[in-house]
Amino acid sequence: MTPHRSVETLRWVGDQNGHLVIIDQTRLPTQVVEIELRDVEAVWEAIRSLRVRGAPAIGIAAAYGVVLGLQESGEDEADVWARLDAVTAWLATSRPTAVNLCWALQRLQEVALGHRGQGPASLRAALLTAARALHEEDRDICRAIGRHGGPLLADGSGVLTHCNAGGLATADYGTALAVIFAAHEAGRHLQVYVDETRPLLQGARLTVWELQQRGIDVTLICDSTAAQVMRERRVQAVITGADRIAANGDVANKIGTYQVALAAAAHELPFYVAAPTSTFDLSLASGEQIPIEQRDPAEITHGFGRQIAPEGTAVYNPAFDVTPARLIRAIVCEKGVIQPVTQASIAQCLNPSSATS
Amino acid sequence: MTPHRSVETLRWVGDQNGHLVIIDQTRLPTQVVEIELRDVEAVWEAIRSLRVRGAPAIGIAAAYGVVLGLQESGEDEADVWARLDAVTAWLATSRPTAVNLCWALQRLQEVALGHRGQGPASLRAALLTAARALHEEDRDICRAIGRHGGPLLADGSGVLTHCNAGGLATADYGTALAVIFAAHEAGRHLQVYVDETRPLLQGARLTVWELQQRGIDVTLICDSTAAQVMRERRVQAVITGADRIAANGDVANKIGTYQVALAAAAHELPFYVAAPTSTFDLSLASGEQIPIEQRDPAEITHGFGRQIAPEGTAVYNPAFDVTPARLIRAIVCEKGVIQPVTQASIAQCLNPSSATS
């Protein structure tokens, strides 16, 4: 296993006429390949195809996508604004569940509004600056999540995680994995069990890879083995990322998260979620309102380069599920640890002044 | 989808010098291939490699394996008996969890004892007769399971199953699927959700195929989607097979069954198990004593002709788990429906005279 720490999840090359470079995550772990995204169509495709994935990372990719989308937009201010609206609206359709995508696009639109009337060149420069800031900020957020969450994991304990909420899902360092990394860096020995995470195997392909690179003990299991691992007392805690969190604390995350949370509850194990505050969508009262992406049946029936189900098999392939707040012991964000998980505690953490007024 | 109803899970061709023919289940559903097993080594390999699998079917295969193992054993009675002991002991090592394997081998040994002193030719003929009887009996048992269990599934309801407990796991007709088939034949419309069942995908490859052949509505899901399907009220019951059932009703079955049972309990859905009485092992007080087969890590890391985890990944790959009796609403066997599932009700069903004495 050669370490690839020099490869970044995403990086922008050049000025506002530059381009985005990402690791093509669909080719990990057997191939570490960077690809160049030189127009907004390529960014949209990369997000849709999960070449770049993870709620924070797709927010950053989309922000750079806006920059790419305006490169050829000319010098007519009205044209540029029309193009900005079109590009952001279109990027928002690449994946529906992760709210960080919309959050990042909205942030760039706000920056644009602040530069209205200053000319297209100024606007394009400002958007790149904003995308870079969002990217840089995510690094700090991930470190803060690690700092707040690390103490939740005891020395010598086993931890189970699902999907990939690591450096590959963010600017770097991750959300759920940031908590594991921080505990590891603090000298605590952990045994991490990773669900392979069908259908696209982000756990097997990405999370195992990231943990190996950092020298953390990792064991791969099938998704269906999680409850057995708990029953055998091999793990003492579960931690996952999130794609969207409703105002009441219900969490949308990779399909299978809910099942793991139920198993954790049955074994009286703490189930933690780690996510930046940009993952909260306070406009939704509960998880029932979170849109759930339905994906191609072929991800299941032909997922390993080989047909594994009969022709014409009907498939139900939701990409996410919703874990109710009552199953979540705490949510770790860059501002701290939200515990218990309630509408009030979330509001208090996200906006302390308004919540106490 | 061409129906292949003429293909049998197992069939014996010829007299005691004949051979066994099985469907190679590792090649389903894309290829329907029969293979000939002409010696006991081939039977052992076919069981170990899951070319023939499912607790009742491997019992039948092992019985025929004994017949094959004695074909070249000569005319010296002592040699034949030594060979019988060696063959049965060796076949028992092919897979450790399903007790039907040992049960079938034991039954053949009892038949052999009844023919002691009658000469090798008579013994070989008697063993083939016993293997054929066991095979034929399994057909009747499966139909009886269907008859007893069918009424548990209501018209218009959704049913979830895990792994394959169908005709391919038995002489024909199945155990868990027998219940579904019988309900379907009684005119009740069912929507069946099938867990793909990693790592070897018996659900995707075998169960979907069997349900399609009978014209039953079937939807394939990832194992991690089972709880979500329950949450959405798409299913009203769960039914699986079993590989070994302890005296107290704890059930060993394909890895992931326990997780599904926990999810069913959380959604207050009935979880049923269907299995012949040969699956009960009353010598074990509880499921904790059931030996659990550990299988090759490559089933997870390289399962579909493609490497899906980094080199050197540590893997935990138990083939089975144990679902405690408290999570099981009823066990359907050929003698009837055991409900509630307790040591007393099991003893009463399996041996009514001794239990009431």
Side-chain angles (χ1 to χ4, degrees), chain A residues 196 198 204-205 212 219-220 223-228 232 234 255-256 258-259 267 304 308 310 314-316 321, chain B residues 196 198 204-205 212 219-220 223-228 232 234 255-256 258-259 267 304 308 310 314-316 321:
Chain A
E196 62 171 2
R198 281 280 285 151
R205 295 189 303 105
Q212 283 183 341
T219 301
L220 175 65
D223 301 322
S224 59
T225 311
Q228 182 63 16
E232 294 174 8
R234 291 171 181 258
I255 187 70
Y258 172 51
Q259 192 152 313
H267 294 91
F304 299 93
I308 57 150
V315 169
Y316 179 50
D321 59 27
Chain B
E196 62 172 2
R198 280 282 284 152
R205 295 190 302 106
Q212 282 183 341
T219 301
L220 175 65
D223 301 322
S224 60
T225 311
Q228 182 62 17
E232 294 174 9
R234 291 171 182 258
I255 186 71
Y258 172 51
Q259 192 151 314
H267 294 91
F304 301 90
I308 58 150
V315 169
Y316 179 49
D321 59 27

Side-chain angles (χ1 to χ4, degrees), chain A residues 197-219:
Chain A
T197 317
R198 281 280 285 151
L200 296 181
L201 300 166
Q202 292 93 335
R205 295 189 303 105
L206 309 178
T207 300
V208 168
W209 187 73
E210 288 199 43
L211 291 163
Q212 283 183 341
Q213 287 196 329
R214 289 178 184 264
I216 297 172
D217 280 348
V218 53
T219 301

Side-chain angles (χ1 to χ4, degrees), chain A residues 306, chain B residues 8-10 22-35 46 49-54 57-58 164-171 200-202 205-207 209-210:
Chain A
R306 181 176 140 189
Chain B
E8 290 177 79
T9 305
L10 318 95
I22 63 166
I23 305 178
D24 183 349
Q25 298 191 32
T26 63
R27 297 170 75 174
L28 287 170
T30 50
Q31 294 174 297
V32 182
V33 177
E34 287 193 327
I35 53 172
S49 305
L50 279 64
R51 298 185 202 286
V52 58
R53 28 68 50 206
I58 66 179
N164 174 269
L168 291 165
T170 58
L200 296 181
L201 299 165
Q202 293 92 337
R205 295 190 302 106
L206 310 179
T207 301
W209 188 73
E210 288 198 43

Side-chain angles (χ1 to χ4, degrees), chain A residues 134-149:
Chain A
L134 196 142
H135 189 174
E136 198 52 43
E137 202 176 275
D138 192 60
R139 294 179 201 276
D140 297 336
I141 287 170
C142 290
R143 301 283 160 174
I145 288 173
R147 213 161 46 241
H148 293 306

Side-chain angles (χ1 to χ4, degrees), chain B residues 44-107:
Chain B
W44 190 93
E45 192 280 337
I47 294 172
R48 173 77 93 171
S49 305
L50 279 64
R51 298 185 202 286
V52 58
R53 28 68 50 206
I58 66 179
I60 300 165
Y64 286 126
V66 172
V67 176
L68 288 169
L70 291 194
Q71 282 175 344
E72 306 291 324
S73 59
E75 294 308 315
D76 181 90
E77 180 127 5
D79 285 356
V80 172
W81 277 92
R83 175 81 182 153
L84 176 65
D85 287 346
V87 161
T88 52
W90 189 60
L91 281 167
T93 67
S94 57
R95 296 196 71 193
T97 300
V99 75
N100 315 60
L101 179 65
C102 299
W103 170 86
L105 292 169
Q106 201 178 336
R107 200 159 124 174

